[in-house]
Structure formats: C-alpha cells, structure tokens
Amino acid sequence: MPQPNLITPGLKAITQLPQGLQAQVLTKVMNTAFAVPLAEDEFDFLAGRTIRIGLRDLNANWFVSLNENNQLLVRLSGKEDASIEGDWLAFLKMATHYCDPDTLFFQRQLSISGDTELGLHVKNLLDSLEIDTLPKPLARSLTLSHHYLTKLAL
C-alpha cells in the first residue's frame, strides 16, 4: 500500500522558489527556528564548516554554515564537510520525536556521510531540541504533524 503524500504545501513551495529567494527564506526560517540554541552558542561546532541537508524525495540540497555573526547561512550549492540525507518524512519523524533518530539511521531512512563526527553532532543537536522552544507557528505545525503521523502509524 503506498504511503499518502504528506508533503506540506509550505515545504514544497519553498523548494520551488528561485534559488536566491529560497536561500533567503530558508536562512530566515532556520535562524528563527534555532534562535535559542544559536543564542546559547550550541552551533559553534559549525564555525568554518558546512553541513548539507539533503531531501531526496524533493531533490533539494541545503548547505548550512555559521557566519561570523553567529547566524546560520543557507546556500543551495557548495562543498560540504558532512551531509545528512533522507526523505522529508524521515526528517519530520526526527523533528517531532515521533521516531528515535538512531532508529531512522539504522533503518537507513536517514544517512550521514563525510565527517561523521560533525554529522552526529548536528543529529544530536536536532534531536535535543524541544518543540516548545521553537517559534509558535513552527511548534504548532510540528505538533500537528506528530499527531498526523501517530494517526497514520507511519
């Protein structure tokens, strides 16, 4: 039985934006979403490094680094030190704590390549984030997504 198409209109719309605008939108969203860990210097390990986030099913690659102002910067191309890849649903399962990230990696729904220490650091940081520390619209979307995943038992 095929899985239902769960791609949110917002995520799909972002991947369809012109490259420059897509990078600007993602940079703004990520800096807003991760404002607390950024303020607490939890992204310092990313200084001078780049991680590629690859969404296979959307054919999207986002290269994330930390700029000199301690802000995340998203580009759509570049050279990565490490990468984390998977379908968007696997990332959603990790972000909503629906599934343990290690399980997603062992099941090969997510994969890390390159500097695995850097990739694991990013994975652990993402896993440690609490939904209630995120901006309300994002937290609500993730909470609703978690509820939806639970109902579908994916």
Side-chain angles (χ1 to χ4, degrees):
M1 177 175 184
Q3 291 184 2
N5 184 350
L6 299 174
I7 297 174
T8 62
L11 182 60
K12 188 164 183 148
I14 288 172
T15 65
Q16 301 301 313
L17 291 172
Q19 290 191 352
L21 186 56
Q22 186 179 150
Q24 288 177 348
V25 168
L26 288 167
T27 295
K28 177 71 172 168
V29 167
M30 290 185 92
N31 280 294
T32 302
F34 298 116
V36 172
L38 282 164
E40 295 173 354
D41 299 325
E42 292 183 38
F43 278 93
D44 283 358
F45 67 90
L46 202 51
R49 320 282 308 274
T50 300
I51 183 107
R52 180 176 60 84
I53 307 297
L55 299 174
R56 293 183 203 131
D57 54 339
L58 295 179
N59 196 28
N61 289 291
W62 302 323
F63 295 77
V64 182
S65 57
L66 193 68
N67 70 17
E68 61 279 349
N69 298 323
N70 202 39
Q71 295 290 300
L72 295 172
L73 176 63
V74 179
R75 295 184 184 100
L76 300 183
S77 63
K79 183 180 181 308
E80 74 263 20
D81 296 293
S83 66
I84 299 178
E85 288 187 285
D87 288 347
W88 88 273
L89 185 57
F91 282 100
L92 180 62
K93 287 177 181 179
M94 182 171 62
T96 61
H97 301 284
Y98 177 79
C99 193
D100 177 66
D102 291 331
T103 300
L104 295 168
F105 283 96
F106 288 129
Q107 292 176 346
R108 298 186 180 176
Q109 292 182 44
L110 291 174
S111 63
I112 294 176
S113 61
D115 182 341
T116 53
E117 184 178 342
L118 176 62
L120 288 172
H121 204 65
V122 170
K123 175 200 69 103
N124 292 336
L125 178 62
L126 293 175
D127 184 42
S128 72
L129 290 176
E130 296 298 325
I131 290 176
D132 61 351
T133 65
L134 298 173
K136 287 187 191 240
L138 181 57
R140 178 145 170 76
S141 294
L142 289 175
T143 300
L144 289 173
S145 295
H146 183 271
H147 178 71
Y148 190 60
L149 289 171
T150 303
K151 277 196 157 293
L152 292 175
L154 293 176

mmCIF file with all atom_site columns, all heavy atoms in Angstrom, residues 124-149:
data_model
loop_
_atom_site.group_PDB
_atom_site.id
_atom_site.type_symbol
_atom_site.label_atom_id
_atom_site.label_alt_id
_atom_site.label_comp_id
_atom_site.label_asym_id
_atom_site.label_entity_id
_atom_site.label_seq_id
_atom_site.pdbx_PDB_ins_code
_atom_site.Cartn_x
_atom_site.Cartn_y
_atom_site.Cartn_z
_atom_site.occupancy
_atom_site.B_iso_or_equiv
_atom_site.pdbx_formal_charge
_atom_site.auth_seq_id
_atom_site.auth_comp_id
_atom_site.auth_asym_id
_atom_site.auth_atom_id
_atom_site.pdbx_PDB_model_num
ATOM 1   N N   . ASN A 1 124 ? 22.490 15.033 16.894 1.00 0.00 ? 124 ASN A N   1
ATOM 2   C CA  . ASN A 1 124 ? 22.234 15.124 18.335 1.00 0.00 ? 124 ASN A CA  1
ATOM 3   C C   . ASN A 1 124 ? 21.630 16.466 18.722 1.00 0.00 ? 124 ASN A C   1
ATOM 4   O O   . ASN A 1 124 ? 20.754 16.528 19.594 1.00 0.00 ? 124 ASN A O   1
ATOM 5   C CB  . ASN A 1 124 ? 23.511 14.847 19.119 1.00 0.00 ? 124 ASN A CB  1
ATOM 6   C CG  . ASN A 1 124 ? 23.953 13.414 18.998 1.00 0.00 ? 124 ASN A CG  1
ATOM 7   O OD1 . ASN A 1 124 ? 23.156 12.521 18.726 1.00 0.00 ? 124 ASN A OD1 1
ATOM 8   N ND2 . ASN A 1 124 ? 25.242 13.170 19.174 1.00 0.00 ? 124 ASN A ND2 1
ATOM 9   N N   . LEU A 1 125 ? 22.083 17.541 18.078 1.00 0.00 ? 125 LEU A N   1
ATOM 10  C CA  . LEU A 1 125 ? 21.517 18.862 18.364 1.00 0.00 ? 125 LEU A CA  1
ATOM 11  C C   . LEU A 1 125 ? 20.058 18.909 17.927 1.00 0.00 ? 125 LEU A C   1
ATOM 12  O O   . LEU A 1 125 ? 19.189 19.370 18.680 1.00 0.00 ? 125 LEU A O   1
ATOM 13  C CB  . LEU A 1 125 ? 22.316 19.962 17.670 1.00 0.00 ? 125 LEU A CB  1
ATOM 14  C CG  . LEU A 1 125 ? 21.783 21.379 17.852 1.00 0.00 ? 125 LEU A CG  1
ATOM 15  C CD1 . LEU A 1 125 ? 21.799 21.792 19.314 1.00 0.00 ? 125 LEU A CD1 1
ATOM 16  C CD2 . LEU A 1 125 ? 22.581 22.355 17.019 1.00 0.00 ? 125 LEU A CD2 1
ATOM 17  N N   . LEU A 1 126 ? 19.768 18.414 16.735 1.00 0.00 ? 126 LEU A N   1
ATOM 18  C CA  . LEU A 1 126 ? 18.381 18.402 16.259 1.00 0.00 ? 126 LEU A CA  1
ATOM 19  C C   . LEU A 1 126 ? 17.500 17.548 17.164 1.00 0.00 ? 126 LEU A C   1
ATOM 20  O O   . LEU A 1 126 ? 16.364 17.911 17.469 1.00 0.00 ? 126 LEU A O   1
ATOM 21  C CB  . LEU A 1 126 ? 18.314 17.887 14.822 1.00 0.00 ? 126 LEU A CB  1
ATOM 22  C CG  . LEU A 1 126 ? 18.963 18.772 13.764 1.00 0.00 ? 126 LEU A CG  1
ATOM 23  C CD1 . LEU A 1 126 ? 18.937 18.087 12.408 1.00 0.00 ? 126 LEU A CD1 1
ATOM 24  C CD2 . LEU A 1 126 ? 18.295 20.136 13.694 1.00 0.00 ? 126 LEU A CD2 1
ATOM 25  N N   . ASP A 1 127 ? 18.035 16.425 17.613 1.00 0.00 ? 127 ASP A N   1
ATOM 26  C CA  . ASP A 1 127 ? 17.273 15.533 18.484 1.00 0.00 ? 127 ASP A CA  1
ATOM 27  C C   . ASP A 1 127 ? 17.022 16.154 19.859 1.00 0.00 ? 127 ASP A C   1
ATOM 28  O O   . ASP A 1 127 ? 16.007 15.884 20.491 1.00 0.00 ? 127 ASP A O   1
ATOM 29  C CB  . ASP A 1 127 ? 18.007 14.194 18.639 1.00 0.00 ? 127 ASP A CB  1
ATOM 30  C CG  . ASP A 1 127 ? 17.216 13.191 19.452 1.00 0.00 ? 127 ASP A CG  1
ATOM 31  O OD1 . ASP A 1 127 ? 15.989 13.094 19.257 1.00 0.00 ? 127 ASP A OD1 1
ATOM 32  O OD2 . ASP A 1 127 ? 17.827 12.502 20.299 1.00 0.00 ? 127 ASP A OD2 1
ATOM 33  N N   . SER A 1 128 ? 17.918 16.997 20.321 1.00 0.00 ? 128 SER A N   1
ATOM 34  C CA  . SER A 1 128 ? 17.777 17.573 21.659 1.00 0.00 ? 128 SER A CA  1
ATOM 35  C C   . SER A 1 128 ? 16.818 18.759 21.705 1.00 0.00 ? 128 SER A C   1
ATOM 36  O O   . SER A 1 128 ? 16.423 19.192 22.788 1.00 0.00 ? 128 SER A O   1
ATOM 37  C CB  . SER A 1 128 ? 19.145 18.008 22.192 1.00 0.00 ? 128 SER A CB  1
ATOM 38  O OG  . SER A 1 128 ? 19.604 19.159 21.505 1.00 0.00 ? 128 SER A OG  1
ATOM 39  N N   . LEU A 1 129 ? 16.444 19.282 20.554 1.00 0.00 ? 129 LEU A N   1
ATOM 40  C CA  . LEU A 1 129 ? 15.551 20.438 20.540 1.00 0.00 ? 129 LEU A CA  1
ATOM 41  C C   . LEU A 1 129 ? 14.162 20.054 21.023 1.00 0.00 ? 129 LEU A C   1
ATOM 42  O O   . LEU A 1 129 ? 13.625 19.017 20.653 1.00 0.00 ? 129 LEU A O   1
ATOM 43  C CB  . LEU A 1 129 ? 15.446 21.014 19.123 1.00 0.00 ? 129 LEU A CB  1
ATOM 44  C CG  . LEU A 1 129 ? 16.689 21.697 18.589 1.00 0.00 ? 129 LEU A CG  1
ATOM 45  C CD1 . LEU A 1 129 ? 16.463 22.118 17.152 1.00 0.00 ? 129 LEU A CD1 1
ATOM 46  C CD2 . LEU A 1 129 ? 17.083 22.886 19.442 1.00 0.00 ? 129 LEU A CD2 1
ATOM 47  N N   . GLU A 1 130 ? 13.623 20.901 21.845 1.00 0.00 ? 130 GLU A N   1
ATOM 48  C CA  . GLU A 1 130 ? 12.270 20.699 22.350 1.00 0.00 ? 130 GLU A CA  1
ATOM 49  C C   . GLU A 1 130 ? 11.321 21.550 21.520 1.00 0.00 ? 130 GLU A C   1
ATOM 50  O O   . GLU A 1 130 ? 11.590 22.726 21.258 1.00 0.00 ? 130 GLU A O   1
ATOM 51  C CB  . GLU A 1 130 ? 12.191 21.096 23.825 1.00 0.00 ? 130 GLU A CB  1
ATOM 52  C CG  . GLU A 1 130 ? 13.044 20.234 24.732 1.00 0.00 ? 130 GLU A CG  1
ATOM 53  C CD  . GLU A 1 130 ? 12.631 18.769 24.736 1.00 0.00 ? 130 GLU A CD  1
ATOM 54  O OE1 . GLU A 1 130 ? 11.421 18.484 24.640 1.00 0.00 ? 130 GLU A OE1 1
ATOM 55  O OE2 . GLU A 1 130 ? 13.523 17.910 24.814 1.00 0.00 ? 130 GLU A OE2 1
ATOM 56  N N   . ILE A 1 131 ? 10.221 20.952 21.125 1.00 0.00 ? 131 ILE A N   1
ATOM 57  C CA  . ILE A 1 131 ? 9.267  21.644 20.266 1.00 0.00 ? 131 ILE A CA  1
ATOM 58  C C   . ILE A 1 131 ? 8.774  22.941 20.904 1.00 0.00 ? 131 ILE A C   1
ATOM 59  O O   . ILE A 1 131 ? 8.617  23.945 20.223 1.00 0.00 ? 131 ILE A O   1
ATOM 60  C CB  . ILE A 1 131 ? 8.087  20.719 19.894 1.00 0.00 ? 131 ILE A CB  1
ATOM 61  C CG1 . ILE A 1 131 ? 8.592  19.625 18.941 1.00 0.00 ? 131 ILE A CG1 1
ATOM 62  C CG2 . ILE A 1 131 ? 6.928  21.483 19.270 1.00 0.00 ? 131 ILE A CG2 1
ATOM 63  C CD1 . ILE A 1 131 ? 7.570  18.590 18.557 1.00 0.00 ? 131 ILE A CD1 1
ATOM 64  N N   . ASP A 1 132 ? 8.585  22.952 22.225 1.00 0.00 ? 132 ASP A N   1
ATOM 65  C CA  . ASP A 1 132 ? 8.041  24.149 22.874 1.00 0.00 ? 132 ASP A CA  1
ATOM 66  C C   . ASP A 1 132 ? 9.016  25.321 22.914 1.00 0.00 ? 132 ASP A C   1
ATOM 67  O O   . ASP A 1 132 ? 8.630  26.431 23.274 1.00 0.00 ? 132 ASP A O   1
ATOM 68  C CB  . ASP A 1 132 ? 7.504  23.831 24.264 1.00 0.00 ? 132 ASP A CB  1
ATOM 69  C CG  . ASP A 1 132 ? 8.559  23.293 25.214 1.00 0.00 ? 132 ASP A CG  1
ATOM 70  O OD1 . ASP A 1 132 ? 9.690  23.003 24.772 1.00 0.00 ? 132 ASP A OD1 1
ATOM 71  O OD2 . ASP A 1 132 ? 8.250  23.145 26.412 1.00 0.00 ? 132 ASP A OD2 1
ATOM 72  N N   . THR A 1 133 ? 10.276 25.119 22.525 1.00 0.00 ? 133 THR A N   1
ATOM 73  C CA  . THR A 1 133 ? 11.220 26.232 22.461 1.00 0.00 ? 133 THR A CA  1
ATOM 74  C C   . THR A 1 133 ? 11.237 26.882 21.084 1.00 0.00 ? 133 THR A C   1
ATOM 75  O O   . THR A 1 133 ? 11.893 27.908 20.892 1.00 0.00 ? 133 THR A O   1
ATOM 76  C CB  . THR A 1 133 ? 12.657 25.779 22.811 1.00 0.00 ? 133 THR A CB  1
ATOM 77  O OG1 . THR A 1 133 ? 13.115 24.866 21.813 1.00 0.00 ? 133 THR A OG1 1
ATOM 78  C CG2 . THR A 1 133 ? 12.721 25.152 24.192 1.00 0.00 ? 133 THR A CG2 1
ATOM 79  N N   . LEU A 1 134 ? 10.545 26.283 20.126 1.00 0.00 ? 134 LEU A N   1
ATOM 80  C CA  . LEU A 1 134 ? 10.506 26.809 18.762 1.00 0.00 ? 134 LEU A CA  1
ATOM 81  C C   . LEU A 1 134 ? 9.448  27.899 18.643 1.00 0.00 ? 134 LEU A C   1
ATOM 82  O O   . LEU A 1 134 ? 8.528  27.977 19.468 1.00 0.00 ? 134 LEU A O   1
ATOM 83  C CB  . LEU A 1 134 ? 10.201 25.673 17.779 1.00 0.00 ? 134 LEU A CB  1
ATOM 84  C CG  . LEU A 1 134 ? 11.227 24.548 17.730 1.00 0.00 ? 134 LEU A CG  1
ATOM 85  C CD1 . LEU A 1 134 ? 10.723 23.411 16.856 1.00 0.00 ? 134 LEU A CD1 1
ATOM 86  C CD2 . LEU A 1 134 ? 12.570 25.048 17.238 1.00 0.00 ? 134 LEU A CD2 1
ATOM 87  N N   . PRO A 1 135 ? 9.553  28.740 17.616 1.00 0.00 ? 135 PRO A N   1
ATOM 88  C CA  . PRO A 1 135 ? 8.500  29.742 17.398 1.00 0.00 ? 135 PRO A CA  1
ATOM 89  C C   . PRO A 1 135 ? 7.130  29.051 17.297 1.00 0.00 ? 135 PRO A C   1
ATOM 90  O O   . PRO A 1 135 ? 7.020  27.943 16.754 1.00 0.00 ? 135 PRO A O   1
ATOM 91  C CB  . PRO A 1 135 ? 8.890  30.388 16.067 1.00 0.00 ? 135 PRO A CB  1
ATOM 92  C CG  . PRO A 1 135 ? 10.370 30.165 15.971 1.00 0.00 ? 135 PRO A CG  1
ATOM 93  C CD  . PRO A 1 135 ? 10.625 28.836 16.631 1.00 0.00 ? 135 PRO A CD  1
ATOM 94  N N   . LYS A 1 136 ? 6.103  29.701 17.818 1.00 0.00 ? 136 LYS A N   1
ATOM 95  C CA  . LYS A 1 136 ? 4.782  29.077 17.933 1.00 0.00 ? 136 LYS A CA  1
ATOM 96  C C   . LYS A 1 136 ? 4.246  28.482 16.627 1.00 0.00 ? 136 LYS A C   1
ATOM 97  O O   . LYS A 1 136 ? 3.746  27.358 16.645 1.00 0.00 ? 136 LYS A O   1
ATOM 98  C CB  . LYS A 1 136 ? 3.786  30.048 18.542 1.00 0.00 ? 136 LYS A CB  1
ATOM 99  C CG  . LYS A 1 136 ? 4.021  30.253 20.019 1.00 0.00 ? 136 LYS A CG  1
ATOM 100 C CD  . LYS A 1 136 ? 2.937  31.091 20.646 1.00 0.00 ? 136 LYS A CD  1
ATOM 101 C CE  . LYS A 1 136 ? 3.377  31.465 22.033 1.00 0.00 ? 136 LYS A CE  1
ATOM 102 N NZ  . LYS A 1 136 ? 2.521  31.012 23.073 1.00 0.00 ? 136 LYS A NZ  1
ATOM 103 N N   . PRO A 1 137 ? 4.321  29.181 15.493 1.00 0.00 ? 137 PRO A N   1
ATOM 104 C CA  . PRO A 1 137 ? 3.775  28.572 14.265 1.00 0.00 ? 137 PRO A CA  1
ATOM 105 C C   . PRO A 1 137 ? 4.512  27.270 13.886 1.00 0.00 ? 137 PRO A C   1
ATOM 106 O O   . PRO A 1 137 ? 3.881  26.294 13.486 1.00 0.00 ? 137 PRO A O   1
ATOM 107 C CB  . PRO A 1 137 ? 3.970  29.639 13.193 1.00 0.00 ? 137 PRO A CB  1
ATOM 108 C CG  . PRO A 1 137 ? 4.109  30.919 13.936 1.00 0.00 ? 137 PRO A CG  1
ATOM 109 C CD  . PRO A 1 137 ? 4.744  30.559 15.247 1.00 0.00 ? 137 PRO A CD  1
ATOM 110 N N   . LEU A 1 138 ? 5.815  27.251 14.056 1.00 0.00 ? 138 LEU A N   1
ATOM 111 C CA  . LEU A 1 138 ? 6.581  26.044 13.739 1.00 0.00 ? 138 LEU A CA  1
ATOM 112 C C   . LEU A 1 138 ? 6.281  24.941 14.751 1.00 0.00 ? 138 LEU A C   1
ATOM 113 O O   . LEU A 1 138 ? 6.080  23.778 14.377 1.00 0.00 ? 138 LEU A O   1
ATOM 114 C CB  . LEU A 1 138 ? 8.079  26.357 13.711 1.00 0.00 ? 138 LEU A CB  1
ATOM 115 C CG  . LEU A 1 138 ? 9.006  25.199 13.364 1.00 0.00 ? 138 LEU A CG  1
ATOM 116 C CD1 . LEU A 1 138 ? 8.665  24.590 12.006 1.00 0.00 ? 138 LEU A CD1 1
ATOM 117 C CD2 . LEU A 1 138 ? 10.460 25.663 13.390 1.00 0.00 ? 138 LEU A CD2 1
ATOM 118 N N   . ALA A 1 139 ? 6.221  25.299 16.032 1.00 0.00 ? 139 ALA A N   1
ATOM 119 C CA  . ALA A 1 139 ? 5.910  24.315 17.066 1.00 0.00 ? 139 ALA A CA  1
ATOM 120 C C   . ALA A 1 139 ? 4.530  23.707 16.830 1.00 0.00 ? 139 ALA A C   1
ATOM 121 O O   . ALA A 1 139 ? 4.351  22.495 16.929 1.00 0.00 ? 139 ALA A O   1
ATOM 122 C CB  . ALA A 1 139 ? 5.978  24.956 18.446 1.00 0.00 ? 139 ALA A CB  1
ATOM 123 N N   . ARG A 1 140 ? 3.575  24.533 16.481 1.00 0.00 ? 140 ARG A N   1
ATOM 124 C CA  . ARG A 1 140 ? 2.214  24.036 16.215 1.00 0.00 ? 140 ARG A CA  1
ATOM 125 C C   . ARG A 1 140 ? 2.209  23.107 15.002 1.00 0.00 ? 140 ARG A C   1
ATOM 126 O O   . ARG A 1 140 ? 1.573  22.055 15.026 1.00 0.00 ? 140 ARG A O   1
ATOM 127 C CB  . ARG A 1 140 ? 1.254  25.205 16.010 1.00 0.00 ? 140 ARG A CB  1
ATOM 128 C CG  . ARG A 1 140 ? -0.158 24.750 15.694 1.00 0.00 ? 140 ARG A CG  1
ATOM 129 C CD  . ARG A 1 140 ? -1.196 25.672 16.290 1.00 0.00 ? 140 ARG A CD  1
ATOM 130 N NE  . ARG A 1 140 ? -2.530 25.398 15.812 1.00 0.00 ? 140 ARG A NE  1
ATOM 131 C CZ  . ARG A 1 140 ? -3.287 24.385 16.213 1.00 0.00 ? 140 ARG A CZ  1
ATOM 132 N NH1 . ARG A 1 140 ? -2.829 23.530 17.083 1.00 0.00 ? 140 ARG A NH1 1
ATOM 133 N NH2 . ARG A 1 140 ? -4.507 24.212 15.749 1.00 0.00 ? 140 ARG A NH2 1
ATOM 134 N N   . SER A 1 141 ? 2.906  23.488 13.950 1.00 0.00 ? 141 SER A N   1
ATOM 135 C CA  . SER A 1 141 ? 2.973  22.636 12.752 1.00 0.00 ? 141 SER A CA  1
ATOM 136 C C   . SER A 1 141 ? 3.586  21.285 13.078 1.00 0.00 ? 141 SER A C   1
ATOM 137 O O   . SER A 1 141 ? 3.095  20.247 12.625 1.00 0.00 ? 141 SER A O   1
ATOM 138 C CB  . SER A 1 141 ? 3.798  23.314 11.655 1.00 0.00 ? 141 SER A CB  1
ATOM 139 O OG  . SER A 1 141 ? 3.153  24.465 11.208 1.00 0.00 ? 141 SER A OG  1
ATOM 140 N N   . LEU A 1 142 ? 4.650  21.290 13.868 1.00 0.00 ? 142 LEU A N   1
ATOM 141 C CA  . LEU A 1 142 ? 5.293  20.025 14.230 1.00 0.00 ? 142 LEU A CA  1
ATOM 142 C C   . LEU A 1 142 ? 4.399  19.180 15.132 1.00 0.00 ? 142 LEU A C   1
ATOM 143 O O   . LEU A 1 142 ? 4.324  17.963 14.986 1.00 0.00 ? 142 LEU A O   1
ATOM 144 C CB  . LEU A 1 142 ? 6.643  20.288 14.896 1.00 0.00 ? 142 LEU A CB  1
ATOM 145 C CG  . LEU A 1 142 ? 7.740  20.799 13.968 1.00 0.00 ? 142 LEU A CG  1
ATOM 146 C CD1 . LEU A 1 142 ? 8.992  21.150 14.758 1.00 0.00 ? 142 LEU A CD1 1
ATOM 147 C CD2 . LEU A 1 142 ? 8.058  19.810 12.865 1.00 0.00 ? 142 LEU A CD2 1
ATOM 148 N N   . THR A 1 143 ? 3.696  19.833 16.057 1.00 0.00 ? 143 THR A N   1
ATOM 149 C CA  . THR A 1 143 ? 2.786  19.099 16.934 1.00 0.00 ? 143 THR A CA  1
ATOM 150 C C   . THR A 1 143 ? 1.654  18.458 16.124 1.00 0.00 ? 143 THR A C   1
ATOM 151 O O   . THR A 1 143 ? 1.316  17.289 16.319 1.00 0.00 ? 143 THR A O   1
ATOM 152 C CB  . THR A 1 143 ? 2.208  20.030 18.016 1.00 0.00 ? 143 THR A CB  1
ATOM 153 O OG1 . THR A 1 143 ? 3.302  20.546 18.780 1.00 0.00 ? 143 THR A OG1 1
ATOM 154 C CG2 . THR A 1 143 ? 1.245  19.301 18.933 1.00 0.00 ? 143 THR A CG2 1
ATOM 155 N N   . LEU A 1 144 ? 1.084  19.221 15.198 1.00 0.00 ? 144 LEU A N   1
ATOM 156 C CA  . LEU A 1 144 ? 0.029  18.666 14.337 1.00 0.00 ? 144 LEU A CA  1
ATOM 157 C C   . LEU A 1 144 ? 0.579  17.544 13.458 1.00 0.00 ? 144 LEU A C   1
ATOM 158 O O   . LEU A 1 144 ? -0.096 16.531 13.244 1.00 0.00 ? 144 LEU A O   1
ATOM 159 C CB  . LEU A 1 144 ? -0.581 19.773 13.471 1.00 0.00 ? 144 LEU A CB  1
ATOM 160 C CG  . LEU A 1 144 ? -1.451 20.784 14.205 1.00 0.00 ? 144 LEU A CG  1
ATOM 161 C CD1 . LEU A 1 144 ? -1.855 21.929 13.278 1.00 0.00 ? 144 LEU A CD1 1
ATOM 162 C CD2 . LEU A 1 144 ? -2.688 20.121 14.801 1.00 0.00 ? 144 LEU A CD2 1
ATOM 163 N N   . SER A 1 145 ? 1.792  17.703 12.967 1.00 0.00 ? 145 SER A N   1
ATOM 164 C CA  . SER A 1 145 ? 2.413  16.665 12.142 1.00 0.00 ? 145 SER A CA  1
ATOM 165 C C   . SER A 1 145 ? 2.623  15.395 12.954 1.00 0.00 ? 145 SER A C   1
ATOM 166 O O   . SER A 1 145 ? 2.403  14.286 12.462 1.00 0.00 ? 145 SER A O   1
ATOM 167 C CB  . SER A 1 145 ? 3.753  17.153 11.581 1.00 0.00 ? 145 SER A CB  1
ATOM 168 O OG  . SER A 1 145 ? 3.549  18.229 10.709 1.00 0.00 ? 145 SER A OG  1
ATOM 169 N N   . HIS A 1 146 ? 3.064  15.552 14.213 1.00 0.00 ? 146 HIS A N   1
ATOM 170 C CA  . HIS A 1 146 ? 3.253  14.391 15.078 1.00 0.00 ? 146 HIS A CA  1
ATOM 171 C C   . HIS A 1 146 ? 1.920  13.659 15.281 1.00 0.00 ? 146 HIS A C   1
ATOM 172 O O   . HIS A 1 146 ? 1.848  12.430 15.197 1.00 0.00 ? 146 HIS A O   1
ATOM 173 C CB  . HIS A 1 146 ? 3.841  14.811 16.421 1.00 0.00 ? 146 HIS A CB  1
ATOM 174 C CG  . HIS A 1 146 ? 4.132  13.650 17.322 1.00 0.00 ? 146 HIS A CG  1
ATOM 175 N ND1 . HIS A 1 146 ? 3.189  13.159 18.199 1.00 0.00 ? 146 HIS A ND1 1
ATOM 176 C CD2 . HIS A 1 146 ? 5.226  12.867 17.445 1.00 0.00 ? 146 HIS A CD2 1
ATOM 177 C CE1 . HIS A 1 146 ? 3.701  12.123 18.837 1.00 0.00 ? 146 HIS A CE1 1
ATOM 178 N NE2 . HIS A 1 146 ? 4.942  11.925 18.396 1.00 0.00 ? 146 HIS A NE2 1
ATOM 179 N N   . HIS A 1 147 ? 0.871  14.430 15.511 1.00 0.00 ? 147 HIS A N   1
ATOM 180 C CA  . HIS A 1 147 ? -0.456 13.841 15.689 1.00 0.00 ? 147 HIS A CA  1
ATOM 181 C C   . HIS A 1 147 ? -0.873 13.089 14.418 1.00 0.00 ? 147 HIS A C   1
ATOM 182 O O   . HIS A 1 147 ? -1.390 11.971 14.483 1.00 0.00 ? 147 HIS A O   1
ATOM 183 C CB  . HIS A 1 147 ? -1.466 14.937 16.024 1.00 0.00 ? 147 HIS A CB  1
ATOM 184 C CG  . HIS A 1 147 ? -2.868 14.452 16.173 1.00 0.00 ? 147 HIS A CG  1
ATOM 185 N ND1 . HIS A 1 147 ? -3.288 13.686 17.245 1.00 0.00 ? 147 HIS A ND1 1
ATOM 186 C CD2 . HIS A 1 147 ? -3.952 14.604 15.375 1.00 0.00 ? 147 HIS A CD2 1
ATOM 187 C CE1 . HIS A 1 147 ? -4.561 13.390 17.094 1.00 0.00 ? 147 HIS A CE1 1
ATOM 188 N NE2 . HIS A 1 147 ? -4.988 13.929 15.973 1.00 0.00 ? 147 HIS A NE2 1
ATOM 189 N N   . TYR A 1 148 ? -0.635 13.671 13.271 1.00 0.00 ? 148 TYR A N   1
ATOM 190 C CA  . TYR A 1 148 ? -0.966 13.068 11.992 1.00 0.00 ? 148 TYR A CA  1
ATOM 191 C C   . TYR A 1 148 ? -0.178 11.777 11.776 1.00 0.00 ? 148 TYR A C   1
ATOM 192 O O   . TYR A 1 148 ? -0.735 10.752 11.382 1.00 0.00 ? 148 TYR A O   1
ATOM 193 C CB  . TYR A 1 148 ? -0.697 14.086 10.876 1.00 0.00 ? 148 TYR A CB  1
ATOM 194 C CG  . TYR A 1 148 ? -1.210 13.697 9.522  1.00 0.00 ? 148 TYR A CG  1
ATOM 195 C CD1 . TYR A 1 148 ? -2.568 13.461 9.312  1.00 0.00 ? 148 TYR A CD1 1
ATOM 196 C CD2 . TYR A 1 148 ? -0.349 13.593 8.434  1.00 0.00 ? 148 TYR A CD2 1
ATOM 197 C CE1 . TYR A 1 148 ? -3.053 13.123 8.058  1.00 0.00 ? 148 TYR A CE1 1
ATOM 198 C CE2 . TYR A 1 148 ? -0.825 13.253 7.184  1.00 0.00 ? 148 TYR A CE2 1
ATOM 199 C CZ  . TYR A 1 148 ? -2.172 13.017 6.995  1.00 0.00 ? 148 TYR A CZ  1
ATOM 200 O OH  . TYR A 1 148 ? -2.640 12.679 5.755  1.00 0.00 ? 148 TYR A OH  1
ATOM 201 N N   . LEU A 1 149 ? 1.116  11.811 12.075 1.00 0.00 ? 149 LEU A N   1
ATOM 202 C CA  . LEU A 1 149 ? 1.955  10.610 11.938 1.00 0.00 ? 149 LEU A CA  1
ATOM 203 C C   . LEU A 1 149 ? 1.453  9.496  12.844 1.00 0.00 ? 149 LEU A C   1
ATOM 204 O O   . LEU A 1 149 ? 1.420  8.321  12.451 1.00 0.00 ? 149 LEU A O   1
ATOM 205 C CB  . LEU A 1 149 ? 3.409  10.939 12.277 1.00 0.00 ? 149 LEU A CB  1
ATOM 206 C CG  . LEU A 1 149 ? 4.169  11.795 11.281 1.00 0.00 ? 149 LEU A CG  1
ATOM 207 C CD1 . LEU A 1 149 ? 5.519  12.204 11.869 1.00 0.00 ? 149 LEU A CD1 1
ATOM 208 C CD2 . LEU A 1 149 ? 4.359  11.081 9.961  1.00 0.00 ? 149 LEU A CD2 1
#
